[in-house]
Amino acid sequence: DAGVIQSPRHEVTEMGQEVTLRCKPISGHNSLFWYRQTMMRGLELLIYFNNNVPIDDSGMPEDRFSAKMPNASFSTLKIQPSEPRDSAVYFCASSPGTVNSPLHFGNGTRLTVT
Amino acid sequence: KQEVTQIPAALSVPEGENLVLNCSFTDSAIYNLQWFRQDPGKGLTSLLLIQSSQREQTSGRLNASLDKSSGRSTLYIAASQPGDSATYLCAVIGEGVMRGNKLVFGAGTILRVKS
């Protein structure tokens, strides 16, 4: 079990550029979550999918953010255009899908927008 | 809106000491409460999950308790070791279909165990 795999680990980009973060959940897990972590706001849920379908995207801060899950083994979080205030660590997590299953987190992508 | 608070924000103890981390939540209608550990530059690792019908869970030197009615949980670490140094976060999932599977996190307690 390789765990949840995120790429890239670090991303530095200029304001206005498009950023795409990638996630491969644990095989067999049918729930996938995107979180953002900052010093000021802590961990915030952006969006989560169940069986590849977005269930709740109320945490997505603006229309500049979008997420897709084209299949059970891959998800992307895209920011277009990026802004300095988007700088944060973005985590992907997966779980087997039942409400009493623990979440498994990836190591995150540290995004810096200059 | 569910809010999760963790006290203290930071804690420094000598090796071998027993310690307690506190977590409180404003809405007692929860499915479960989870404790996580986060090491610098890493993701979160699930330590313990307590279902709403349970009072406590134990794993090795860790014991987590849950008092749902009062909105409180504690994480007890026995005989602390330098390797326990990390940030500890608690999180809850609310009841109800509309709340989905959304974990609400506290800000965490930064623990340092000195050798």
Side-chain angles (χ1 to χ4, degrees):
Chain A
D1 183 356
V4 176
I5 300 173
Q6 291 187 246
S7 64
R9 285 299 315 275
H10 304 274
E11 177 80 34
V12 180
T13 191
E14 293 184 346
M15 182 174 64
Q17 296 298 306
E18 177 179 296
V19 174
T20 299
L21 311 181
R22 296 173 176 78
C23 175
K24 176 179 169 55
I26 292 173
S27 178
H29 284 191
N30 58 14
S31 291
L32 183 141
F33 305 79
W34 282 100
Y35 281 88
R36 177 171 69 176
Q37 186 176 40
T38 61
M39 289 292 293
M40 290 296 295
R41 301 173 67 91
L43 267 163
E44 303 174 283
L45 178 65
L46 301 177
I47 185 171
Y48 83 92
F49 295 83
N50 197 45
N51 292 322
N52 312 338
V53 177
I55 302 300
D56 186 342
D57 64 355
S58 59
M60 297 284 261
E62 299 172 33
D63 291 345
R64 299 183 296 107
F65 286 70
S66 63
K68 294 183 179 179
M69 192 165 185
N71 58 62
S73 59
F74 184 66
S75 177
T76 59
L77 178 68
K78 185 176 294 186
I79 308 173
Q80 165 64 19
S82 58
E83 297 182 4
R85 60 196 167 114
D86 301 331
S87 298
V89 181
Y90 291 81
F91 287 104
C92 176
S94 70
S95 82
T98 59
V99 71
N100 282 317
S101 301
L103 256 61
H104 298 258
F105 280 77
N107 283 331
T109 294
R110 180 174 294 278
L111 173 65
T112 304
V113 183
T114 60
Chain B
K1 179 186 172 185
Q2 178 74 271
E3 292 184 2
V4 180
T5 303
Q6 292 188 243
I7 294 173
L11 182 63
S12 182
V13 300
E15 182 177 5
E17 219 173 79
N18 302 324
L19 57 99
V20 174
L21 308 181
N22 297 290
C23 172
S24 62
F25 45 95
T26 54
D27 186 348
S28 62
I30 63 169
Y31 267 127
N32 65 49
L33 181 144
Q34 299 180 44
W35 283 94
F36 292 86
R37 167 186 173 137
Q38 185 175 27
D39 293 286
K42 300 287 188 180
L44 282 68
T45 300
S46 180
L47 297 174
L48 291 164
L49 183 152
I50 311 177
Q51 299 180 32
S52 61
S53 58
Q54 298 173 327
R55 297 285 295 185
E56 65 178 347
Q57 282 287 330
T58 298
S59 176
R61 295 182 292 106
L62 305 180
N63 175 275
S65 68
L66 173 64
D67 184 342
K68 183 180 169 184
S69 60
S70 68
R72 295 173 190 269
S73 175
T74 61
L75 179 65
Y76 175 83
I77 302 177
S80 59
Q81 302 171 358
D84 295 331
S85 299
T87 298
Y88 291 80
L89 299 101
C90 75
V92 297
I93 288 182
E95 290 179 349
V97 172
M98 293 306 295
R99 300 187 193 206
N101 233 6
K102 298 164 64 169
L103 272 173
V104 178
F105 282 86
T109 294
I110 301 171
L111 172 65
R112 180 183 171 216
V113 181
K114 298 172 289 186
S115 57

